[in-house]
Amino acid sequence: MTYQVLARKWRPKSFATLVGQEHVVKALRHALEQKRLHHAYLFTGTRGVGKTTLARILAKCLNCETGITPDPCGICSACREIDGGRYIDLLEVDAATNTKVDEMRQLLETAQYAPSRGRYKVYVIDEVHMLSTSAFNAMLKTLEEPPEHLKFILATTDPQKIPVTVLSRCLQFNLKQMPHVAIVEHLAQLLEAEKVAFERDALALLAHAAQGSMRDALSLLDQAIAHGGGKVGAEQVREMLGAVDSTYLLRALDALAASDGPQLMAVADELQSRSLSFDAALADLASLLLRIALVQVVPDALDADAPERERLMELAARFSAEDVQLYYQIVLQGRHDLALAPDEHAGFAMTLLRLLAFRPEGGSDSDRLPRAPAAGAAIVTGAVKAAPRAAAPAVAPVNAAAQAAGEFDGDWPALARRLPLSGAAKQLALNSVLAGFSRWVFDLRVAATMEYLGTYQDKLKAALEKSFGRPVRVKVAVGEVAGGATVAAQEAGARDARQARAVQTLQQDRFVKELVDMFDGTVIDSSIRPRQQG
């Protein structure tokens, strides 16, 4: 007997067996029970969440020989033929391969004819967003006022590409990605029915890899059964997926908490020796940091029986909330930069080194100011790099007069103008506004168009420390900046005013007017330069 893949063999055949789309099923059930049937339905959602399956179930509900019902019998000839894909009054069209207007017109020409056997003729158009503009226009009239015997069921993964004129003629249902727990439970029930031995941890790995798609989960399950020789084990699935055992990443976080650089690099080397995916490692590391951040804010966020719960609770106590937020951003950026690295191992190792380097030293969450660096330590972007434990004297003031003067008066524009900066660091100072200042922490804000300047905050920080003769911290965030609030905007406004005065003065000059009249000329305003001040 020919083997049938699990995704086809276990395709739901009724609303009762459909997983994870209760909100859509509820609405369709009520409509069928009350006989409030629309002529056009649109199912949207990512791949493998049940759009085509729902369309077939709805077609059975409309054409079951027992009558219009939310619970088709499944045994009549109409139900069996729809399940088998051979029902004459159910026409499934792949819009990705039938995009042209002529194909749509040919399809609509048959719409006027009554169904051959069923109660309704049902047109299912999959990936409807792939139709051409002309094809959409051709179907508009029929879609708005179809014959009584015709029902349209449209499906798409990209509803943004569907014209509004089509959307307004359909009842739209948005299918959600399958919850992780729902996928695990469904796979477990399926394997029990198939009498295949499995480990529950293996199903969790498959559900994670499926990313909300039940069809992907079933395809991966087929592969896992073959890979495991008829059983589904966690270690075999992890090997098949190239997934990273969380123990490696937990060891990396332990080493990070202990500022143990050699141990961090050892983790990177072990992952390379096992040929594991560094991209998957960074993705899983970001997921662990997310769970740690949740535990810090909501201690009960993890279930009592959740795996690694104790380890995550311990790490949540060892890291500050600020640490975790910074690490999460570094890991995401490291994953983004992985393709640009000399090789993936180098990219992963550099990300771990960044985690070690960019760390606020000491202090509580309410007071995260850096202390004076120890011998050999370096201040990096407002953070103190891990250094040997040897004691060292505090940083000596570079400018004794500035230290004696003591405090910042809050006038950021004046300070930005006098800081000894150049290049992009100078532009950062001139194009930012002071959003807040407390305990020698400068909270700066730049417009989104100037976000790239934030990478130069270490030079700005160094200039501020030189000016005030003490350690400071600099935070740069993207936000709304009022017009004229920055030094750069003020200077630009002043330049524009000088330019306008220069143009006005030249245009009113009697000699210039005579020249223009004599030669029928025109004054080119952009060529006028105001006199340099000073």
Side-chain angles (χ1 to χ4, degrees):
M1 183 176 178
T2 304
Y3 176 74
Q4 191 174 26
V5 298
L6 295 176
R8 293 187 60 192
K9 181 178 180 180
W10 292 93
R11 182 192 289 271
K13 293 180 171 58
S14 66
F15 289 140
T17 56
L18 192 70
V19 178
Q21 305 299 344
E22 291 80 7
H23 63 298
V24 176
V25 169
K26 181 179 179 181
L28 292 176
R29 274 187 170 278
H30 289 169
L32 290 163
E33 289 168 353
Q34 301 170 16
K35 305 299 188 289
R36 300 177 64 89
L37 304 177
H38 203 270
H39 58 271
Y41 299 86
L42 173 63
F43 296 142
T44 67
T46 58
R47 77 211 181 282
V49 294
K51 299 184 295 297
T52 305
T53 297
L54 262 176
R56 292 182 180 178
I57 294 173
L58 182 56
K60 286 200 296 184
C61 294
L62 295 172
N63 284 308
C64 180
E65 293 177 5
T66 62
I68 298 174
T69 173
D71 298 301
C73 68
I75 58 176
C76 67
S77 60
C79 289
R80 292 199 310 271
E81 289 176 15
I82 290 174
D83 287 336
R86 57 183 185 275
Y87 191 60
I88 192 171
D89 291 321
L90 173 61
L91 184 61
E92 296 189 29
V93 179
D94 180 13
T97 55
N98 297 274
T99 62
K100 297 179 182 179
V101 63
D102 292 338
E103 294 162 340
M104 179 54 64
R105 285 174 179 160
Q106 184 178 358
L107 175 69
L108 296 175
E109 283 177 1
T110 64
Q112 58 184 317
Y113 302 112
S116 301
R117 293 181 51 198
R119 196 174 293 107
Y120 293 100
K121 181 178 288 188
V122 181
Y123 285 176
V124 178
I125 305 179
D126 199 11
E127 297 302 338
V128 67
H129 68 274
M130 299 291 288
L131 292 177
S132 66
T133 302
S134 299
F136 274 124
N137 291 335
M139 71 182 292
L140 280 179
K141 186 61 177 177
T142 306
L143 188 64
E144 184 173 19
E145 298 179 359
E148 289 293 328
H149 59 263
L150 183 62
K151 299 295 181 185
F152 282 98
I153 304 178
L154 313 180
T156 179
T157 55
D158 195 354
Q160 305 298 327
K161 294 182 180 179
I162 300 178
V164 177
T165 50
V166 173
L167 292 174
S168 64
R169 290 166 167 82
C170 302
L171 285 186
Q172 182 173 345
F173 296 93
N174 300 312
L175 278 66
K176 301 180 296 184
Q177 287 189 320
M178 297 292 177
H180 183 276
V181 174
I183 293 178
V184 171
E185 292 299 327
H186 185 65
L187 296 185
Q189 294 175 10
L190 184 153
L191 289 171
E192 289 172 356
E194 291 281 327
K195 295 182 172 54
V196 175
F198 66 91
E199 295 177 6
R200 201 167 185 85
D201 288 347
L203 304 188
L205 291 170
L206 294 172
H208 177 74
Q211 297 182 337
S213 169
M214 186 65 78
R215 184 173 62 235
D216 286 6
L218 292 172
S219 298
L220 289 171
L221 183 59
D222 258 325
Q223 183 180 349
I225 293 173
H227 188 273
K231 61 181 180 180
V232 182
E235 189 60 34
Q236 289 83 3
V237 169
R238 189 175 286 112
E239 180 181 344
M240 179 191 82
L241 297 174
V244 179
D245 190 334
S246 60
T247 56
Y248 290 104
L249 303 178
L250 290 170
R251 279 174 48 208
L253 291 175
D254 280 334
L256 181 60
S259 299
D260 189 343
Q263 183 59 36
L264 268 178
M265 292 302 98
V267 171
D269 293 340
E270 288 180 39
L271 293 180
Q272 185 181 40
S273 66
R274 291 177 60 94
S275 300
L276 297 176
S277 168
F278 288 110
D279 180 74
L282 289 175
D284 290 347
L285 185 56
S287 179
L288 282 176
L289 289 168
L290 168 63
R291 293 164 69 190
I292 291 171
L294 284 173
V295 169
Q296 290 177 331
V297 178
V298 186
D300 296 331
L302 293 180
D303 295 333
D305 57 348
E308 302 140 3
R309 184 178 188 275
E310 295 302 322
R311 295 288 301 278
L312 293 176
M313 295 289 287
E314 178 188 348
L315 288 168
R318 297 175 69 184
F319 293 121
S320 71
E322 187 180 38
D323 287 338
V324 177
Q325 294 295 326
L326 178 61
Y327 296 158
Y328 183 78
Q329 289 298 325
I330 290 174
V331 170
L332 292 185
Q333 188 63 45
R335 191 180 181 198
H336 178 268
D337 293 344
L338 202 60
L340 305 177
D343 56 71
E344 286 201 347
H345 175 264
F348 183 77
M350 181 56 75
T351 301
L352 296 184
L353 290 174
R354 286 176 183 167
L355 292 174
L356 192 62
F358 290 82
R359 294 190 61 195
E361 181 188 356
S364 63
D365 287 343
S366 60
D367 182 11
R368 303 295 298 172
L369 288 178
R371 295 194 288 258
I379 297 176
V380 184
T381 317
V384 177
K385 186 175 181 180
R389 296 176 178 267
V395 176
V398 177
N399 186 333
Q403 177 70 19
E407 298 299 327
F408 171 50
D409 60 6
D411 189 351
W412 176 255
L415 177 60
R417 287 188 178 95
R418 70 171 184 263
L419 284 174
L421 292 167
S422 61
K426 182 70 172 179
Q427 292 304 311
L428 173 60
L430 298 181
N431 285 279
S432 59
V433 295
L434 186 67
F437 174 77
S438 176
R439 298 185 179 183
W440 292 99
V441 179
F442 290 83
D443 284 311
L444 304 179
R445 184 178 300 151
V446 296
T449 55
M450 298 290 176
E451 182 178 6
Y452 70 96
L453 293 175
T455 58
Y456 296 93
Q457 59 182 320
D458 53 341
K459 294 183 179 180
L460 175 59
K461 176 180 178 295
L464 288 169
E465 289 181 335
K466 184 176 181 180
S467 177
F468 289 104
R470 60 162 298 143
V472 304
R473 291 186 62 202
V474 176
K475 296 181 179 180
V476 180
V478 175
E480 185 176 350
V481 177
T486 66
V487 177
Q490 294 169 8
E491 292 181 350
R495 287 195 301 271
D496 292 344
R498 290 197 301 272
Q499 178 71 16
R501 288 195 298 270
V503 170
Q504 183 180 19
T505 299
L506 193 63
Q507 288 178 341
Q508 293 177 352
D509 186 87
R510 186 171 65 179
F511 178 70
V512 173
K513 287 182 178 180
E514 290 176 355
L515 286 176
V516 170
D517 293 339
M518 183 181 302
F519 296 103
D520 192 22
T522 302
V523 175
I524 301 175
D525 292 348
S526 61
S527 66
I528 301 172
R529 295 290 182 269
R531 181 178 299 171
Q532 295 295 324
Q533 294 181 338

